[in-house]
Each structure stands twice: as C-alpha cells, then as structure tokens.
Amino acid sequence: MIISKSPVGKYMVGIDFTDTYCQISWLYNKRSRFGRGFVNAATGGVAREPLTYSMVPGQEIYNIPVTLCKKKDSPAWLAGAEAQETERAGEGTAVTGLLAKARKDVPVRVDGEEYSPVSLLALFLRKCLSMLEPEIAPEQIAAVTITSPGMDYETEQILLRAFGRLDLNMIQVRCESHEESFFSYMLMQDAEQRRSGMMLCEYGAEGKLLFSTLLYNRRTSPVVYWTETEKQSIEPSLHGSARDRAFASLAQTALRGREISSVYLTGTGFEGGWIREAAAYLCRGRRVFMGENLFSKGAAYSALLSEDRPAEIPESVFLAQDALRSNIGIEVLLREQTGYHVLLDAGTKWFNAEVEEDFILENGREFSLLQTPVTGGEPKQLTVRLAGLPSRPDRTTRLRVLLTMPSAGLLRVQVTDLGFGEIFPSDGSVWEETFKV
C-alpha cells in the first residue's frame, strides 16, 4: 500500500509488531562519492546494521509494550511502558491486545466512551514513531515495513488501515511475515554467512521452539529462497544444564543432514545465560548469533530492498509460507511457434493471486496449465476437462480463464466458454477445478 508517492526522506524503518510488544529499527540510506553505506545519523559513522530504539538509552531494552492508557479526567493517552506505569498507579485505564481487538472490529469502551480499535491501533503506532524523535522526524521517513509472526491478509489490511490514518506524507508502507524479515536480514549479511543454508531458532513462551531453515535453488535465475520449519518444545520445568542438554539434542536433530553455515538464536527463552553445551555444538563449523531485534532489523532492510536496492545485493525471490511455489503458465501457439506464457509467478501471495486472460482453444475438449516448481521437481499438467463443450471446428472456441487462490497451496481455475463471435455463439458454459499447487 503506497501512502504517497515520491518519498523525500532517507530513513528506512522496520516495525516488529505483535499483540504484546513492538520494536522499531531504522537505517539511514545514503549515497556518496565514497561509496554506499547505511549511516548512523547521530554519529556520522557508516554501519551496515540498523539501529533499534531502546526504552532505556544505552541498554538493549527493545520491547515496547503494546499498551495504551487514557489518563483519568484527561483527554491524554500514553503508550508503552509509560501507559503500564500509569495504570499500575491507578491514574488511568489501559487498553491492551490492540491487534486482536482490531481483528474483532468491536468498539472499545474506555471511561464511558467508545473508540474504534483501528483508531486506537493508529494512535499507538503514531506514539511509537514519535519516540524516535529527535533522531528521526516523520517527514524524514521514506519507507516503513511492518513485520509480524502471524502476518496474514486480514492482519495486513488492518495494519495498513491503521497506518493510513496517521496521515504521514511521503511514506510507503508494506507488511510482511517474520520469515520474510529473516530473509531480508540474511540477504544483507556477508556472503560468507550465506554460503550454504541458514537456520533461525525461535525460543518463546511455554518452551515452544521453532527451527526455520532458509534454503535456496541456485539453478534458477533469479535465485529462489524458501524456508522449511519444524516445531519442537522443551519442558518448561527444565532449567540450567537440563534445559541446555534438551536444546542441544533438538538442535542436533534439526541440523542433521543439513549444510548450515550460520545459526541465529532469538526469543526470550534464551535469556539467562544457560546455553553452554548447545552453543559449543552449534559453533562447530558455523557462525552463531543471538539477539532480540532480528525481525525489526530485517524489516528495515526489507524497506531498503524494496525502495532502493543496493547494487551489490543480487536479485532473488523469496517464497513465503503463504506464497505460490511454482510458476503457473500455459503453452501457447504464436505465429505457428510454441511458447510458454506465465500467468502467475512463483512468490505471489495467495491473497494477491488473480489473473484473467482469454485464449483460443486449438482443439479438443480440455484445457491444461503447466505448473513448474521453482524449488525443484518436475513440471506438472493441470487439466480442466470441458465436458459438454459444443462441437466446433479447430480454433473456433474462445475461452476466458480466471486463476485465483482461495488459500495457500490451492489454485482455482475457472474457464468460461465465450464462443467465437456470431459464427459460433457461446452457450454460457463455465467449468471450475481446484488443484493443489
């Protein structure tokens, strides 16, 4: 969603947003005759890593609580830690779970007044951006990417609507999932870290573990990347060396048979300094990194890559979990020569997948598409049988083909008989098939 064209700002901002916390990272995109770098405007020093807002300067306290609080007998609203402190002091009414409330789209009642949940979400985002001042003024921002662990079409539309209410000119806003932010982060690292596969391990609440392996197919042009995920868990009652051994065992299983050059550890579960045996194992022939702001940094990189991609970063395609993993096309005859016409490109999000085109059927009573996986594997024919199609001479039936995806991994093909003008009028027949892709 483009809020306004022709951005004049130079800052690229990434926001990691969940129902409990958000983080904000940013980088300054600068071109100069001495080369290209990402500049810390506060020091003038060149740094490839984005900066992340900390609630306590000089400390790595990145999580801003997703909380609003309306002060008693006042129109003023507070956000984040200040909102929590005000509620604890009994001086205001707090509102939490802003994203969940916006998804339900039920008015929020505070002190006898009703508020739109999307408006409250927009208010929180505005206050978060104001925390960056005086380092960054809104008019200096060129692009914002919002990332979330459960990003789907509904969440994306809610966040874009909320951001649209901020009325910030010259800003381009987009949404993506954590896995997409991870990909952007890795894409901007040294080539050595990307020489083979990369793994992300998220250790969250209640002992839940998620191993995500970033894989690629270099035989395609551009190179295609995707993730494979594996869910595990560690018994929450385990602590210290017992937790260390349990995690080491799960990590060995996740890495078995894979060539992984770098491992990233993130999540509150890694706090406490207990990881010793597992760290020793992971560091054998790999580079290991730990941090809590990977996704907001990755989102800032995504903003840069989409707005002003550095020349040294190769073109690539990332296949998110909700994206099409094959090219869908059709063999066509043009000037008596057979060619391949792509209808849907691999990497298209399922909720954005819609294309409609007209073709002339050469002969017969069936219509076929060609599915070509970009992650490896043989092409596959997807055939719609046109039962009941009127008998006509070859190349005298025009078909309208509509492709949509009702969900990730499902392709719906709708074919409509258009006939052939007044010579062979259409009988209005429509055929529909759904295929796993």
Side-chain angles (χ1 to χ4, degrees), residues 187-336:
L187 203 60
M188 297 296 293
Q189 303 309 301
D190 294 336
E192 177 63 18
Q193 291 173 226
R194 295 183 276 110
R195 63 181 168 81
S196 57
M198 294 144 279
M199 178 174 284
L200 171 69
C201 180
E202 299 175 72
Y203 188 5
E206 300 176 355
K208 293 181 180 179
L209 277 168
L210 181 65
F211 293 98
S212 300
T213 306
L214 186 61
L215 304 172
Y216 56 82
N217 183 358
R218 290 197 183 276
R219 292 189 297 273
T220 61
S221 182
V223 176
V224 173
Y225 291 82
W226 69 96
T227 56
E228 290 184 357
T229 60
E230 179 184 353
K231 293 181 180 180
Q232 293 288 353
S233 63
I234 294 177
E235 176 57 47
S237 62
L238 295 180
H239 298 281
S241 60
R243 180 186 291 186
D244 191 15
R245 286 192 298 272
F247 176 66
S249 176
L250 292 172
Q252 289 179 40
T253 300
L255 288 164
R256 187 172 297 133
R258 297 187 183 278
E259 186 180 353
I260 301 295
S261 59
S262 56
V263 177
Y264 283 78
L265 309 177
T266 187
T268 56
F270 288 114
E271 295 175 355
W274 55 267
I275 181 168
R276 298 178 184 277
E277 179 182 329
Y281 166 73
L282 291 173
C283 288
R284 293 174 195 161
R286 308 177 193 89
R287 299 178 71 177
V288 180
F289 306 86
M290 183 180 293
E292 291 305 306
N293 54 346
L294 183 149
F295 298 120
S296 62
K297 284 185 173 183
Y301 281 142
S302 291
L304 175 73
L305 291 167
S306 63
E307 282 292 294
D308 193 13
R309 190 183 189 93
E312 66 270 21
I313 303 301
E315 290 294 331
S316 56
V317 174
F318 179 71
L319 307 180
Q321 294 295 327
D322 54 0
L324 183 61
R325 299 200 168 197
S326 303
N327 289 322
I328 305 295
I330 182 174
E331 291 185 345
V332 295
L333 193 63
L334 182 62
R335 298 186 182 91
E336 301 305 318

Side-chain angles (χ1 to χ4, degrees), residues 142-185:
V144 174
T145 297
I146 308 173
T147 184
S148 181
M151 188 66 72
D152 55 19
Y153 179 72
E154 184 180 3
T155 302
E156 176 186 81
Q157 293 306 302
I158 288 169
L159 288 168
L160 292 178
R161 281 170 52 206
F163 221 99
R165 296 192 181 197
L166 302 188
D167 200 25
L168 299 174
N169 293 325
M170 308 304 179
I171 295 180
Q172 182 161 319
V173 184
R174 58 177 46 79
C175 296
E176 66 183 20
S177 63
H178 271 182
E179 62 171 346
E180 292 170 281
S181 299
F182 172 50
F183 168 68
S184 293
Y185 185 88

